[in-house]
Short mmCIF file of all heavy atoms in Angstrom, two decimals:
data_model
loop_
_atom_site.label_atom_id
_atom_site.label_comp_id
_atom_site.label_asym_id
_atom_site.label_seq_id
_atom_site.Cartn_x
_atom_site.Cartn_y
_atom_site.Cartn_z
N TYR A 1410 37.97 -71.62 -14.59
CA TYR A 1410 37.87 -71.29 -16.01
C TYR A 1410 39.21 -71.42 -16.73
O TYR A 1410 39.32 -72.08 -17.76
CB TYR A 1410 37.32 -69.87 -16.17
CG TYR A 1410 36.88 -69.52 -17.58
CD1 TYR A 1410 35.58 -69.79 -18.00
CD2 TYR A 1410 37.74 -68.92 -18.47
CE1 TYR A 1410 35.16 -69.46 -19.28
CE2 TYR A 1410 37.34 -68.59 -19.75
CZ TYR A 1410 36.04 -68.86 -20.16
OH TYR A 1410 35.63 -68.53 -21.43
N GLU A 1411 40.24 -70.81 -16.17
CA GLU A 1411 41.54 -70.82 -16.85
C GLU A 1411 42.14 -72.22 -16.90
O GLU A 1411 42.65 -72.65 -17.93
CB GLU A 1411 42.50 -69.86 -16.16
CG GLU A 1411 43.86 -69.78 -16.82
CD GLU A 1411 44.79 -68.78 -16.16
OE1 GLU A 1411 44.34 -68.07 -15.24
OE2 GLU A 1411 45.97 -68.72 -16.57
N ARG A 1412 42.06 -72.93 -15.78
CA ARG A 1412 42.66 -74.28 -15.75
C ARG A 1412 41.95 -75.20 -16.73
O ARG A 1412 42.60 -75.89 -17.53
CB ARG A 1412 42.59 -74.85 -14.35
CG ARG A 1412 43.01 -76.33 -14.29
CD ARG A 1412 43.23 -76.80 -12.87
NE ARG A 1412 43.35 -78.26 -12.79
CZ ARG A 1412 44.45 -78.95 -13.05
NH1 ARG A 1412 45.53 -78.32 -13.45
NH2 ARG A 1412 44.47 -80.27 -12.94
N ALA A 1413 40.63 -75.25 -16.70
CA ALA A 1413 39.90 -76.14 -17.60
C ALA A 1413 40.13 -75.75 -19.05
O ALA A 1413 40.31 -76.62 -19.92
CB ALA A 1413 38.41 -76.12 -17.27
N SER A 1414 40.17 -74.45 -19.33
CA SER A 1414 40.40 -74.00 -20.71
C SER A 1414 41.80 -74.38 -21.17
O SER A 1414 41.99 -74.77 -22.34
CB SER A 1414 40.20 -72.48 -20.79
OG SER A 1414 38.87 -72.13 -20.45
N ASN A 1415 42.79 -74.26 -20.30
CA ASN A 1415 44.16 -74.64 -20.66
C ASN A 1415 44.25 -76.12 -21.00
O ASN A 1415 44.88 -76.51 -21.99
CB ASN A 1415 45.12 -74.32 -19.51
CG ASN A 1415 45.44 -72.85 -19.41
OD1 ASN A 1415 45.16 -72.07 -20.32
ND2 ASN A 1415 46.00 -72.45 -18.29
N ILE A 1416 43.63 -76.95 -20.17
CA ILE A 1416 43.72 -78.39 -20.41
C ILE A 1416 42.92 -78.77 -21.66
O ILE A 1416 43.30 -79.70 -22.40
CB ILE A 1416 43.26 -79.18 -19.17
CG1 ILE A 1416 44.21 -78.87 -18.00
CG2 ILE A 1416 43.23 -80.67 -19.44
CD1 ILE A 1416 43.83 -79.51 -16.70
N GLN A 1417 41.83 -78.05 -21.93
CA GLN A 1417 41.14 -78.23 -23.20
C GLN A 1417 42.10 -78.03 -24.37
O GLN A 1417 42.13 -78.81 -25.32
CB GLN A 1417 40.00 -77.21 -23.32
CG GLN A 1417 38.63 -77.68 -22.88
CD GLN A 1417 37.60 -76.63 -23.21
OE1 GLN A 1417 37.74 -75.46 -22.88
NE2 GLN A 1417 36.54 -77.05 -23.86
N GLU A 1418 42.85 -76.94 -24.28
CA GLU A 1418 43.77 -76.61 -25.37
C GLU A 1418 44.90 -77.63 -25.45
O GLU A 1418 45.33 -78.01 -26.56
CB GLU A 1418 44.34 -75.20 -25.18
CG GLU A 1418 45.18 -74.71 -26.35
CD GLU A 1418 44.41 -74.66 -27.66
OE1 GLU A 1418 43.16 -74.53 -27.65
OE2 GLU A 1418 45.07 -74.76 -28.73
N TYR A 1419 45.40 -78.10 -24.31
CA TYR A 1419 46.42 -79.14 -24.32
C TYR A 1419 45.89 -80.38 -25.05
O TYR A 1419 46.62 -81.04 -25.81
CB TYR A 1419 46.83 -79.54 -22.90
CG TYR A 1419 47.41 -78.43 -22.06
CD1 TYR A 1419 47.45 -78.56 -20.67
CD2 TYR A 1419 47.90 -77.26 -22.62
CE1 TYR A 1419 47.98 -77.55 -19.87
CE2 TYR A 1419 48.42 -76.25 -21.82
CZ TYR A 1419 48.45 -76.41 -20.46
OH TYR A 1419 48.96 -75.41 -19.67
N SER A 1420 44.63 -80.72 -24.79
CA SER A 1420 44.04 -81.89 -25.43
C SER A 1420 43.97 -81.70 -26.94
O SER A 1420 44.19 -82.64 -27.71
CB SER A 1420 42.64 -82.15 -24.86
OG SER A 1420 42.71 -82.52 -23.51
N ARG A 1421 43.64 -80.48 -27.36
CA ARG A 1421 43.58 -80.22 -28.81
C ARG A 1421 44.97 -80.38 -29.43
O ARG A 1421 45.11 -80.97 -30.50
CB ARG A 1421 43.05 -78.80 -29.05
CG ARG A 1421 41.60 -78.61 -28.62
CD ARG A 1421 41.13 -77.20 -28.90
NE ARG A 1421 39.76 -76.99 -28.41
CZ ARG A 1421 39.42 -76.12 -27.46
NH1 ARG A 1421 40.36 -75.35 -26.91
NH2 ARG A 1421 38.17 -76.01 -27.08
N ILE A 1422 45.98 -79.83 -28.74
CA ILE A 1422 47.35 -79.93 -29.26
C ILE A 1422 47.79 -81.39 -29.32
O ILE A 1422 48.38 -81.85 -30.31
CB ILE A 1422 48.31 -79.10 -28.40
CG1 ILE A 1422 47.97 -77.60 -28.50
CG2 ILE A 1422 49.75 -79.34 -28.81
CD1 ILE A 1422 48.74 -76.74 -27.52
N ALA A 1423 47.50 -82.12 -28.23
CA ALA A 1423 47.90 -83.53 -28.19
C ALA A 1423 47.19 -84.36 -29.25
O ALA A 1423 47.69 -85.40 -29.67
CB ALA A 1423 47.60 -84.11 -26.80
N GLY A 1424 46.03 -83.91 -29.70
CA GLY A 1424 45.27 -84.66 -30.69
C GLY A 1424 45.57 -84.31 -32.12
O GLY A 1424 45.00 -84.91 -33.04
N LYS A 1425 46.46 -83.34 -32.33
CA LYS A 1425 46.79 -82.97 -33.71
C LYS A 1425 47.55 -84.09 -34.41
O LYS A 1425 48.24 -84.89 -33.78
CB LYS A 1425 47.62 -81.68 -33.72
CG LYS A 1425 46.84 -80.43 -33.37
CD LYS A 1425 47.70 -79.19 -33.49
CE LYS A 1425 46.89 -77.93 -33.20
NZ LYS A 1425 45.84 -77.71 -34.21
N ASP A 1426 47.40 -84.11 -35.72
CA ASP A 1426 48.14 -85.10 -36.51
C ASP A 1426 49.63 -84.85 -36.38
O ASP A 1426 50.08 -83.71 -36.22
CB ASP A 1426 47.74 -85.00 -37.99
CG ASP A 1426 46.28 -85.41 -38.21
OD1 ASP A 1426 45.73 -86.07 -37.31
OD2 ASP A 1426 45.73 -85.06 -39.26
N MET A 1427 50.40 -85.92 -36.46
CA MET A 1427 51.85 -85.79 -36.36
C MET A 1427 52.37 -84.89 -37.48
O MET A 1427 52.03 -85.07 -38.65
CB MET A 1427 52.51 -87.17 -36.42
CG MET A 1427 52.22 -88.02 -35.19
SD MET A 1427 53.06 -89.63 -35.24
CE MET A 1427 54.77 -89.10 -35.12
N GLY A 1428 53.18 -83.91 -37.10
CA GLY A 1428 53.70 -82.96 -38.07
C GLY A 1428 52.88 -81.71 -38.20
O GLY A 1428 53.30 -80.75 -38.84
N ASP A 1429 51.69 -81.68 -37.60
CA ASP A 1429 50.83 -80.50 -37.65
C ASP A 1429 50.92 -79.75 -36.33
O ASP A 1429 50.69 -80.33 -35.26
CB ASP A 1429 49.37 -80.89 -37.88
CG ASP A 1429 49.15 -81.46 -39.27
OD1 ASP A 1429 50.06 -81.30 -40.11
OD2 ASP A 1429 48.09 -82.05 -39.50
N GLY A 1430 51.26 -78.47 -36.39
CA GLY A 1430 51.26 -77.65 -35.19
C GLY A 1430 52.47 -77.91 -34.32
O GLY A 1430 53.34 -78.72 -34.64
N PRO A 1431 52.53 -77.21 -33.17
CA PRO A 1431 53.69 -77.34 -32.27
C PRO A 1431 53.71 -78.70 -31.58
O PRO A 1431 52.68 -79.33 -31.37
CB PRO A 1431 53.45 -76.22 -31.25
CG PRO A 1431 51.96 -76.02 -31.25
CD PRO A 1431 51.51 -76.27 -32.66
N LEU A 1432 54.91 -79.14 -31.24
CA LEU A 1432 55.05 -80.38 -30.49
C LEU A 1432 54.56 -80.17 -29.06
O LEU A 1432 54.74 -79.12 -28.47
CB LEU A 1432 56.51 -80.83 -30.47
CG LEU A 1432 57.10 -81.27 -31.82
CD1 LEU A 1432 58.59 -81.58 -31.65
CD2 LEU A 1432 56.36 -82.49 -32.36
N LEU A 1433 53.93 -81.18 -28.53
CA LEU A 1433 53.40 -81.11 -27.16
C LEU A 1433 54.52 -81.40 -26.17
O LEU A 1433 55.19 -82.44 -26.27
CB LEU A 1433 52.27 -82.13 -26.98
CG LEU A 1433 51.59 -82.15 -25.62
CD1 LEU A 1433 50.79 -80.87 -25.42
CD2 LEU A 1433 50.68 -83.36 -25.49
#
């Protein structure tokens, strides 16, 4: 659960528009 959820969130961060949110 934790690992899959973490990588889900990494994917969301990596998919953000440039300049939006924290840098990956």
Side-chain angles (χ1 to χ4, degrees):
Y1410 193 89
E1411 182 178 354
R1412 172 168 168 81
S1414 298
N1415 284 346
I1416 297 177
Q1417 266 186 310
E1418 187 59 26
Y1419 300 161
S1420 294
R1421 294 180 184 118
I1422 295 171
K1425 288 184 178 295
D1426 293 342
M1427 292 183 66
D1429 292 346
L1432 293 175
L1433 182 69

